[in-house]
Each structure stands twice: as structure tokens, then as C-alpha cells.
Amino acid sequence: NNSDDDGGNNDSGDDDDDDETIILPPKPNFDNYKISKKYSQLQTSFEELEEVLYLQQNSDKVLEKAAKMLEKAQKDFDLAKKKHEEYKYLVRIKKKKIIEDDLTIDCKWNRMYFKLKEFKNQHGHCIVPGRQHESDPEITKLNAWVDAQRKAYRSRMQGKVLSEQQVQLKKHRIYHLNKIGFVWDVNNQRWKDRIKQLKEYKKKYGHCSMPFNYKPDQSLAHWVHGCRREYKLYQDGKASDMTPQRIAELEKLGFVWKSDFPRKFKKERKRVPTEMEDWENCYQLLASFHAKYGHCQVNKRELSVPQKNKLCYFVSWQRKQYKLFKEGKPSHLTQKRVDRLSELGFDFNPNAKKRTDEENFDECYILLCDFATEHGHCNAGVDRGQLGGPRLTKFVAWQRKQYVLFQKGKESK
């Protein structure tokens, strides 16, 4: 029955009420094969609908029952959650009390902890110095203990299994150390402190190009230049303390890796003399020494002359270079320099020449005569043996020793 009573625009029936009762129309009386077949199909669909409606009614009952159970379970859940939070709070309070009571036990760890706490109260930090306080045994012990805690913490973070002999750091002790501001990574903390100082410098001057001779904070200036040095090593692929994170952190501040600070603020550097100029300066020192003492036997332990350390090194270096020169190997000495040193009576190999006793006596006797003429006596001791050098001092002592043997009638030279 195609009725157009309502306009006939809704053919699908999607907006029909779900609760509307659908009744199967009566079977037509006339015999028509097509109509009978369609009616049979309609009857089958109607029976399927009745079956589904029955199942829906049962599902509504189950759903209603489940909703009541869910409501009750929600109430039980809220109650259980409330009790769980209460128990959790009590557990936290009990644990805290046990952790605090643990510090009252007299053991090595607790004693060192209170020493560290006292150090923190005095200095404001927990970074205990080491080498510069070797004279204070207590500070040395505390430094060793602190280092052991950091090592144990790193092992714990890396999941390493430690033996019973090794220091094991428990969780509640980590809590105690964190409570007083313990620094687990000293290098990272120092880096943060330096970055903070550099930020203050930039805020004051507007840049990070700190001169090397920045007097208000020399250590910070050296750190800035050290960053540039470490960055260069990092760029060359060598071992360096610089990391991509630190590079990004410095560049965020506008850090300049190649300093372009105005020259007038830089410390003026003295010109480094060339090798030829340096040799000539040392030669003039040796010539002055020879003119004053009459020999080239420089002994820094017995003589007091200007730049004696430099002069002693020069004398020793010339002998080494002379050996290379004679062997035909690369040497700083030339024939001209050898001639100039020889004019001063320079002994290139003092250990090679073996003088006879008479030659040695005659030479030292002449030196002693010169010494007596200059000083008016022959007491050429260690602090008076300028003329003649240590050779004359040994000669005088040797003569006195031989004289005692001569007086006793024993063998003497």
C-alpha cells in the first residue's frame, strides 16, 4: 500500500521510532503468485524481527543489572582508592622516620656524612678540595669519602653489580646527600657556575669576548680562553672536554670562538728573540763571566752571578752541540761559533782531558797566585772561590789534606 498521506518523502523509514509496534498485515484472499511470494518474504522478516526484539529485551535487563553492579563497583573503587592514599601517606611517614632514625646509628658512613654537613655549613657547598689540603688529614679523608660516594652513585646509575668490599650506596643515603645539596658531577657543576658568571659578564659588557688579562676575574678569563682551546681540539678530532651540548650553550650566549677583542685591551707580548740573538746574548754573558773570573767553569751551586741558571744551561748545551758538530750531525754550532768559544778558553769536553799531576798543580798554583793577589789570602773556600772556580777550591782542600799526610810521614803528593 503506497500511501502518500505524509508527503511520501521519507521512503527509508530511518526516522521511525524504535519503540513503535509493527504489526504484520493480514494475508490477502486472492491467489496471486507474485503477491503470495512477497507476503512470505515479509512474514519471514517479521519473524526475524520478533526474535531480535526478544533478544533486545533480554539485553536491556542484563544492561540494567550491569549498570547497578558498575555503580556499586565505582563506590567500592572510590572507597578503596581513598584507603590506598591513606596507607600510602602512612608508609611515606614511616619510611621518613626510619630514614631519619638511621642517621642516629653510630657508623662510619654517618660520621662522615655529618662531617660533610659541617663542611657545607662552613663553606656553603659540598665540593671538598683535595690536593691543596694535603696538610689537613681530616679534609683529605673527607675528600676520599666524597669521591667514593660519587663513584658508587655512577655504578648504581649504570646498573653495575658491586662486590661486598666495594662501597654500595643505598637509596636512603642518596636521599640524605641530596638533602644537603650534594653535587654528584663536579665538572658539570663547575661548568654551570662558569656559564652563570659568563652570563653576568655579558649582561654587564654586552659581549663574551673577555680579554685574557681581565683583572676582576682572572680565573674566568682563563676558563674562556680554555674553552676556545678545547673547541679547537674538538674540531681537530682530538680528545677534548668540549661537547655538542656545551658548544650550543656557549653559542646561545653569542660566544666568539676566535677572539677579536680590541688590541688595546690585550696584554702586549714581548718579542721572542731569534736563535742567533739568543746565542749571542748567552755568549756575551759567558764573556763577562770569563773576564771577571778568568775561566768558563760555571757552577751554579758555588757561584752567584746574574742569570747563572741560563748561563749554566748554555755551557752544557754548547758541549752537547759540539759533540754533534764533530760527528757531522745537525747542530746549532758552526765553525765560527766554535772559534769564538775557543778564544775564551772554553773546554768543550772537560772529562776527556787527563792532565798529569804536575800540569794540574802548575795550573792550579797559577790560579791560587792570582787569587792571593786579588784577595790578599789563600783561603779559597766555597763562598770565596770566585776566581779559579770550584777547581781552585778543591785544589786548596787537597793540598791541606796532602800536607797533613806529609807531616805525619805518610805517602803524600
Side-chain angles (χ1 to χ4, degrees):
N1 184 10
N2 297 327
S3 175
D4 295 335
D5 295 340
D6 296 330
N9 294 327
N10 192 358
D11 297 335
S12 62
D14 291 341
D15 295 334
D16 291 343
D17 191 359
D18 292 340
D19 296 333
E20 183 181 356
T21 302
I22 300 175
I23 301 174
L24 180 68
K27 184 176 180 182
N29 294 326
F30 52 86
D31 265 341
N32 188 313
Y33 176 75
K34 292 182 179 181
I35 294 176
S36 298
K37 185 177 181 181
K38 288 184 178 180
Y39 186 81
S40 298
Q41 293 174 354
L42 179 61
Q43 189 177 12
T44 302
S45 298
F46 184 79
E47 292 174 355
E48 291 176 354
L49 176 61
E50 284 185 334
E51 184 180 355
V52 173
L53 285 172
Y54 176 76
L55 293 174
Q56 183 184 4
Q57 291 173 359
N58 290 338
S59 176
D60 289 341
K61 294 178 182 178
V62 173
L63 182 62
E64 184 180 359
K65 184 179 179 181
K68 292 179 180 179
M69 294 175 63
L70 179 62
E71 184 179 359
K72 183 178 182 301
Q74 183 66 41
K75 292 180 180 178
D76 294 342
F77 174 79
D78 293 340
L79 180 62
K81 185 178 180 181
K82 184 178 178 180
K83 288 184 178 181
H84 176 76
E85 293 297 331
E86 291 176 357
Y87 294 146
K88 188 177 180 180
Y89 174 75
L90 292 174
V91 168
R92 187 163 58 249
I93 294 298
K94 296 293 183 182
K95 279 186 176 181
K96 189 175 181 180
K97 186 177 184 304
I98 292 173
I99 289 173
E100 295 298 334
D101 292 343
D102 180 69
L103 288 176
T104 61
I105 300 174
D106 185 18
C107 63
K108 181 180 177 181
W109 197 95
N110 289 343
R111 289 194 297 270
M112 298 304 293
Y113 172 78
F114 284 114
K115 287 183 180 180
L116 179 62
K117 194 173 182 180
E118 184 180 354
F119 179 89
K120 166 75 181 299
N121 294 334
Q122 293 178 358
H123 300 86
H125 59 81
C126 296
I127 302 177
V128 183
R131 296 179 180 177
Q132 57 268 42
H133 283 277
E134 291 180 354
S135 58
D136 190 344
E138 294 299 323
I139 294 294
T140 304
K141 289 180 182 179
L142 185 59
N143 173 262
W145 182 81
V146 167
D147 287 343
Q149 304 312 303
R150 292 193 179 103
K151 185 177 180 181
Y153 180 79
R154 287 194 298 269
S155 300
R156 181 185 177 91
M157 292 296 102
Q158 295 171 2
K160 294 182 179 179
V161 180
L162 302 178
S163 62
E164 296 181 357
Q165 290 77 15
Q166 293 176 310
V167 177
Q168 298 187 11
L169 194 59
K170 303 296 182 181
K171 190 174 181 179
H172 68 281
R173 290 181 171 175
I174 296 176
Y175 166 80
H176 287 309
L177 291 171
N178 286 333
K179 192 175 179 181
I180 62 174
F182 188 82
V183 178
W184 298 105
D185 192 340
V186 178
N187 293 331
N188 189 45
Q189 184 62 38
R190 287 173 179 168
W191 174 267
K192 291 180 180 179
D193 295 340
R194 290 302 188 188
I195 290 293
K196 184 178 179 181
Q197 294 172 358
L198 187 60
K199 287 181 180 178
E200 294 175 356
Y201 177 88
K202 183 182 179 181
K203 184 178 179 180
K204 184 176 181 180
Y205 296 101
H207 60 82
C208 298
S209 298
M210 184 180 296
F212 188 76
N213 59 340
Y214 180 66
K215 293 183 180 179
D217 196 341
Q218 281 282 294
S219 62
L220 180 61
H222 293 170
W223 178 81
V224 168
H225 286 262
C227 287
R228 294 193 178 102
R229 182 177 61 252
E230 294 297 325
Y231 177 77
K232 188 176 184 303
L233 293 174
Y234 176 81
Q235 291 293 93
D236 295 340
K238 299 179 181 178
S240 170
D241 292 333
M242 195 60 63
T243 62
Q245 292 78 11
R246 291 184 173 183
I247 293 173
E249 195 172 4
L250 288 171
E251 289 180 346
K252 188 177 179 180
L253 293 176
F255 191 85
V256 180
W257 296 110
K258 188 175 181 181
S259 178
D260 55 352
F261 203 82
R263 184 172 294 277
K264 62 180 180 179
F265 292 105
K266 291 184 178 180
K267 186 177 180 180
E268 294 183 1
R269 297 181 179 180
K270 295 182 179 179
R271 189 181 68 85
V272 179
T274 62
E275 189 274 337
M276 185 178 295
E277 292 173 341
D278 191 48
W279 191 91
E280 185 63 31
N281 293 336
C282 292
Y283 177 81
Q284 294 300 329
L285 286 175
L286 184 61
S288 301
F289 180 89
H290 180 269
K292 184 175 181 179
Y293 301 111
H295 60 85
C296 295
Q297 300 176 14
V298 184
N299 191 318
K300 64 180 181 181
R301 291 179 299 176
E302 299 181 3
L303 298 178
S304 177
V305 296
Q307 302 182 20
K308 62 180 180 180
N309 291 334
K310 184 177 182 179
L311 191 55
C312 289
Y313 177 79
F314 174 75
V315 169
S316 175
W317 181 250
Q318 300 314 300
R319 290 178 176 138
K320 292 179 181 178
Q321 293 300 311
Y322 181 77
K323 183 179 180 181
L324 296 175
F325 177 75
K326 281 295 183 181
E327 294 174 354
K329 297 179 181 180
S331 171
H332 289 288
L333 275 182
T334 62
Q335 188 59 48
K336 185 178 179 181
R337 289 183 176 181
V338 172
D339 295 340
R340 293 183 66 186
L341 290 170
S342 298
E343 290 175 0
L344 297 178
F346 187 82
D347 193 352
F348 288 101
N349 194 355
N351 298 326
K353 297 180 179 179
K354 296 183 179 179
R355 302 180 181 87
T356 63
D357 292 339
E358 293 182 0
E359 291 175 344
N360 187 55
F361 181 88
D362 293 340
E363 292 176 4
C364 292
Y365 178 76
I366 294 173
L367 290 174
L368 183 61
C369 291
D370 295 338
F371 180 89
T373 303
E374 180 177 346
H375 298 281
H377 59 79
C378 295
N379 297 325
V382 172
D383 53 345
R384 293 183 179 179
Q386 293 86 359
L387 185 62
R391 183 184 179 189
L392 182 59
T393 305
K394 293 178 182 179
F395 173 76
V396 171
W398 179 255
Q399 300 312 311
R400 292 191 176 113
K401 184 177 180 180
Q402 294 301 316
Y403 177 76
V404 172
L405 295 175
F406 178 77
Q407 288 293 96
K408 293 180 179 181
K410 297 182 180 179
E411 183 178 357
S412 170
K413 294 185 180 181

